[in-house]
Amino acid sequence: MTTTTTGPDAETELVIGGMTCASCAARIEKKLNRMDGVTATVNYATEKARVSHSGDVSVRDLIATVEKTGYTAQEPEPPEPRHDDMAADDELRPLRERLVTAVVLAGPVVAMAMIPALQFEYWQWLSLTLAAPVVTYAGWPFHRAAFTNARHGAATMDTLISVGTAAAFGWSLWALFFGTAGTPGMTHPFELTITRGDGAGNLYLEAAAGVTAFILAGRYFEARSKRKAGAALRALLELGAKDVTVLRPDGDERTLPLAELKVGDRFLVRPGEKIATDGTVVEGSSAVDASMLTGESVPVEVGVGDPVTGATVNAGGRLVVEATRVGADTRLARMAKLVEDAQNGKAAAQRLADRISGVFVPIVIALALGTLGFWLGNGSGPTAAFTAAVAVLIIACPCALGLATPTALLVGTGRGAQLGILIKGPEVLESTRKVDTVVLDKTGTVTTGRMALTALHPADGTEEAEVLRLAGALEHSSEHPIARAVAEGALEKLGSLPAPEDFANVPGLGVQGVVDGDAVLVGRERLLADWAMELPEELARAKADAEAAGRTAVVVAWDGEARAVLEVADAVKATSAEAITRLRALGLSPILLTGDNRAVAESVAREVGIAPEDVVAEVLPEDKVDVVKRLQREGRSVAMVGDGVNDAAALAQADLGLAMGTGTDAAIEAGDLTLVRGDLRAAADAIRLARRTLGTIRTNLFWAFAYNVAALPLAAAGLLNPMLAGAAMAFSSVFVVGNSLRLRSFRAAD
């Protein structure tokens, strides 16, 4: 996805080529940030640079700077519609070919060096013949990168590998051609038997070949794992339809590329097809499977007037949809942009790791030279000194440090996108660890935000089904929100309703009409008075109780008598109570925040398990920010969950803002986490996932630091053979990436 903008404050994304370790990313970032008006972040795991720059700096200037540093850069190109495995195979083929060559040829070299029984006459020359292609051809990427970096006065991980393997190979060449190592029957160097006083008789061909093979294996599995880590985002980007069937005003159907679709166009969606873009249903009804965007497996019923989202699947009937958003404005594109921005971001811990990686290589080279000098000065001889120095060069790998945060972010944010949870950036993760209080907006968050029939109180001798049939039939002809709630409740219970006759709306009071020969009234109690009817005591009590709880009471009468009281209210979501329980289990104290009166608020709070003292009611929209600030002054770390325009400021003020994706754009923009589906349980899942991702990052960083802290002294002390050091170094990077991939198994709570 290209994110280039132009103007006085432009933002450009560049794909960087040639990076082999975190110190490469640090060098490029440093060079870019030295340019006037440029702020850049380079991510080694995603191989991308996100650059903010003034209008005086062109994209060409940025690319030229990267190229002068010794790397390649280009703007992203739209992904080709190819199978993911095929694309991965193309990218990894060159590395795999070098790895296979290294393993096949290095295996016998290592075996002959380690097993005396395999050492026949002139075995050293066969080892040289096999090791030479490994060090030169298979290891060529390391040498090429080291040479390029040297031309620019820099050193990276490739410098360490190249110098270490070239030194081992060069030492062996000297021993073979100018020493006694070429003499038949020479003892293996691991036994430290020196045939000449200067130690030239010792071979390190197995170290040079083995290290190259191990490091190539590490790079290959690291590259495969990194691709798996980013698979969720690629899958998200590829979800959308490629073509669309547009309906012309004359009734003709034309199949066009999706890019040609415009806002206002009407398009056809047949059963089983993907909905091409965000829009509104103008004809037909169906069930829509949105699981790929929301993580919710149950299809949603849609009809005329309902909004639909691009990339969801029409699982039922024929739909005609009018496009309301296209291209980068669609919900899918915005989700992908949020995920990509999060993956390109850097947490504070990662910036520290990048700074360490940037100076790590020169320090290691100095340490290797110091190790060489120490052992030579200690009288241990050149063999021991050389072995220790090469081991120091090989063992020190800043790659694990550079991969610790971005790979966990790649997997964590990608997995979140699959579950309908969008994490805006790495700094959000730290906030999830600290929060101890969660403020919940009532309408649209804890409740559905729509009026619904919540209770029915029939008079003695009156059947509930009859009340629903007559009241629902009459209310079905009205557009009032309360009438719609009654009609929908009746339809849900009965399935179908009769058609009313002589329907009439009584402004401010209700409706009246004839249903199956019965004269029916539905509305306020005052409507009964106009027809000389009174409310029986039992129904009057039910009406008073409903109104005391903040619900709307509707009276139903027919045949000259009041027959029932219906309760209508903003219904609590079926999953809200369970969500509150899950939030408490995460150590969060829930607070209900609403502009409704206290009776309504406390009724909702009781239903979901929130104590009355944790209800803040009758709050004006502009005062919601003050509530959050007050809680923060009390020393609490506050998370806010909301969905409306009036929640945006409070979401921004909170330590952690969770925006319901079913809400307004303003709320989504202000939130730190976006919950694509309107289920409050997703808030608990989001916090769990963010905390799990943060924990993975911390684990990765700990082991990356611990590895280097423990391994470098061992290598300098001469306790590590260079070949084993190469294996350990390769394993450290693979371990970090593999640990991050464990996040792919994260599941939303049942």
Side-chain angles (χ1 to χ4, degrees):
M1 180 183 296
T2 303
T3 56
T4 301
T5 59
T6 58
D9 294 310
E11 184 173 283
T12 298
E13 182 178 274
L14 297 175
V15 177
I16 308 296
M19 291 194 298
T20 55
C21 66
S23 56
C24 297
R27 282 189 58 226
I28 299 169
E29 187 173 299
K30 187 176 181 180
K31 290 286 187 181
L32 288 172
N33 284 323
R34 283 179 176 174
M35 300 175 67
D36 291 336
V38 172
T39 302
T41 299
V42 180
N43 192 310
Y44 169 51
T46 60
E47 298 180 339
K48 291 180 180 178
R50 181 60 57 85
V51 188
S52 298
H53 54 101
S54 65
D56 297 332
V57 179
S58 68
V59 175
R60 185 172 298 178
D61 295 332
L62 299 173
I63 293 175
T65 298
V66 175
E67 290 177 343
K68 288 178 183 177
T69 312
Y71 304 89
T72 63
Q74 63 181 26
E75 293 187 82
E77 297 178 356
E80 296 181 9
R82 305 170 60 199
H83 194 277
D84 195 59
D85 291 340
M86 185 187 303
D89 188 68
D90 286 350
E91 291 180 11
L92 296 175
R93 184 180 293 118
L95 183 56
R96 184 171 60 248
E97 289 174 351
R98 294 182 188 276
L99 172 60
V100 170
T101 300
V103 171
V104 170
L105 297 181
V109 176
V110 174
M112 285 187 289
M114 302 291 290
I115 305 173
L118 298 178
Q119 296 173 4
F120 58 91
E121 189 174 3
Y122 299 113
W123 68 272
Q124 303 96 321
W125 297 101
L126 177 60
S127 292
L128 175 64
T129 304
L130 296 175
V134 177
V135 176
T136 54
Y137 165 71
W140 176 245
F142 307 134
H143 308 311
R144 180 181 56 201
F147 177 73
T148 301
N149 289 323
R151 285 176 52 204
H152 293 87
T156 65
M157 185 60 217
D158 291 299
T159 306
L160 303 182
I161 298 169
S162 179
V163 170
T165 55
F169 189 73
W171 179 283
S172 300
L173 286 178
W174 173 268
L176 280 169
F177 286 100
F178 301 103
T180 60
T183 304
M186 176 201 152
T187 306
H188 179 257
F190 283 151
E191 298 178 14
L192 296 182
T193 300
I194 302 174
T195 56
R196 284 179 50 184
D198 58 3
N202 289 276
L203 295 180
Y204 287 94
L205 291 172
E206 79 289 344
V211 165
T212 302
F214 278 127
I215 294 176
L216 280 172
R219 289 272 173 94
Y220 177 73
F221 290 113
E222 176 188 313
R224 283 191 60 185
S225 300
K226 281 165 62 178
R227 184 160 188 87
K228 288 181 182 178
L233 177 58
R234 288 192 301 277
L236 191 64
L237 289 169
E238 294 170 3
L239 276 179
K242 304 299 183 288
D243 300 304
V244 57
T245 303
V246 177
L247 298 178
R248 295 306 186 193
D250 58 7
D252 287 346
E253 298 179 6
R254 292 186 59 189
T255 301
L256 302 174
L258 183 61
E260 296 182 20
L261 186 67
K262 298 179 177 61
V263 172
D265 285 347
R266 294 190 174 189
F267 58 92
L268 176 65
V269 189
R270 299 180 181 88
E273 290 184 343
K274 289 181 179 179
I275 297 172
T277 193
D278 298 355
T280 303
V281 177
V282 294
E283 184 182 320
S285 62
S286 181
V288 173
D289 179 2
S291 58
M292 68 287 295
L293 289 183
T294 65
E296 181 58 58
S297 59
V298 180
V300 178
E301 296 290 334
V302 298
V304 174
D306 290 332
V308 289
T309 303
T312 56
V313 178
N314 178 14
R318 177 182 184 273
L319 293 176
V320 176
V321 179
E322 182 175 309
T324 56
R325 289 176 175 174
V326 297
D329 295 329
T330 63
R331 193 178 188 188
L332 174 64
R334 291 166 62 204
M335 284 177 61
K337 178 68 164 55
L338 283 172
V339 175
E340 192 169 33
D341 287 347
Q343 293 181 348
N344 284 328
K346 289 188 179 182
Q350 180 61 32
R351 295 188 183 279
L352 173 62
D354 285 350
R355 286 196 296 271
I356 293 173
S357 297
V359 299
F360 194 69
V361 173
I363 291 175
V364 169
I365 293 175
L367 180 60
L369 292 173
T371 300
L372 181 66
F374 171 80
W375 285 106
L376 288 174
N378 197 38
S380 299
T383 297
F386 180 80
T387 301
V390 171
V392 168
L393 288 173
I394 298 301
I395 196 69
C397 176
C399 295
L401 288 175
L403 291 168
T405 295
T407 52
L409 273 177
L410 272 173
V411 184
T413 54
R415 182 59 184 147
Q418 292 175 327
L419 297 173
I421 300 166
L422 305 182
I423 302 172
K424 277 196 174 179
E427 62 282 350
V428 172
L429 305 177
E430 192 67 29
S431 300
T432 62
R433 184 182 65 84
K434 298 175 182 176
V435 292
D436 53 31
T437 302
V438 57
V439 176
L440 305 170
D441 173 59
K442 180 183 77 69
T443 306
T445 302
V446 177
T447 66
T448 63
R450 296 176 57 191
M451 301 296 281
L453 180 62
T454 58
L456 190 158
H457 304 281
D460 289 340
T462 302
E463 295 183 0
E464 289 189 6
E466 185 70 1
V467 175
L468 289 173
R469 187 178 70 85
L470 297 176
L474 200 59
E475 294 281 49
H476 197 262
S477 297
S478 173
E479 291 299 319
H480 193 281
I482 293 177
R484 285 203 303 269
V486 173
E488 288 172 3
L491 282 169
E492 185 179 342
K493 293 282 189 180
L494 304 179
S496 63
L497 298 170
E501 301 173 1
D502 299 328
F503 174 83
N505 180 50
V506 184
L509 294 180
V511 293
Q512 61 188 40
V514 177
V515 180
D516 291 344
D518 292 319
V520 183
L521 305 175
V522 183
R524 295 188 177 185
E525 187 177 1
R526 281 176 53 195
L527 187 60
L528 298 181
D530 292 345
W531 288 81
M533 285 186 278
E534 294 184 356
L535 200 62
E537 183 179 349
E538 57 180 316
L539 295 183
R541 234 181 357 257
K543 175 178 177 291
D545 291 343
E547 291 174 343
R551 299 183 178 91
T552 299
V554 178
V555 179
V556 183
W558 68 86
D559 289 343
E561 294 183 24
R563 305 291 184 129
V565 168
L566 307 178
E567 290 187 24
V568 177
D570 180 6
V572 173
K573 293 178 181 178
T575 58
S576 290
E578 182 184 349
I580 299 299
T581 301
R582 293 184 183 182
L583 290 169
R584 289 188 192 278
L586 292 171
L588 304 178
S589 301
I591 292 177
L592 187 66
L593 180 65
T594 180
D596 281 350
N597 66 64
R598 176 158 287 277
V600 173
E602 291 187 355
S603 174
V604 171
R606 281 194 299 272
E607 194 167 342
V608 298
I610 297 177
E613 59 268 22
D614 291 327
V615 174
V616 182
E618 301 175 12
V619 176
L620 296 174
E622 57 269 25
D623 293 335
K624 289 186 176 183
V625 176
D626 294 332
V627 173
V628 174
K629 287 181 178 178
R630 174 175 59 79
L631 292 170
Q632 289 171 330
R633 285 195 299 270
E634 293 174 1
R636 303 198 197 188
S637 184
V638 180
M640 169 77 188
V641 186
D643 73 328
V645 172
N646 57 4
D647 299 322
L651 287 168
Q653 173 63 38
D655 300 285
L656 178 68
L658 294 91
M660 306 293 282
T662 51
T664 64
D665 291 348
I668 293 171
E669 186 64 30
D672 300 310
L673 289 163
T674 299
L675 314 175
V676 177
R677 65 184 192 269
D679 187 339
L680 188 56
R681 291 179 300 181
D685 290 333
I687 292 174
R688 282 199 307 117
L689 174 60
R691 287 180 176 178
R692 179 84 62 83
T693 304
L694 178 64
T696 300
I697 290 173
R698 291 175 178 274
T699 302
N700 286 348
L701 287 172
F702 170 79
W703 285 111
F705 277 112
Y707 161 82
N708 282 291
V709 168
L712 277 173
L714 289 175
L719 300 177
L720 277 180
N721 177 269
M723 186 172 60
L724 298 179
M729 185 271 278
F731 174 76
S732 69
S733 293
V734 174
F735 170 82
V736 164
V737 179
N739 187 49
S740 298
L741 286 174
R742 292 169 60 238
L743 287 168
R744 297 172 72 189
S745 64
F746 178 87
R747 296 284 183 272
D750 295 329

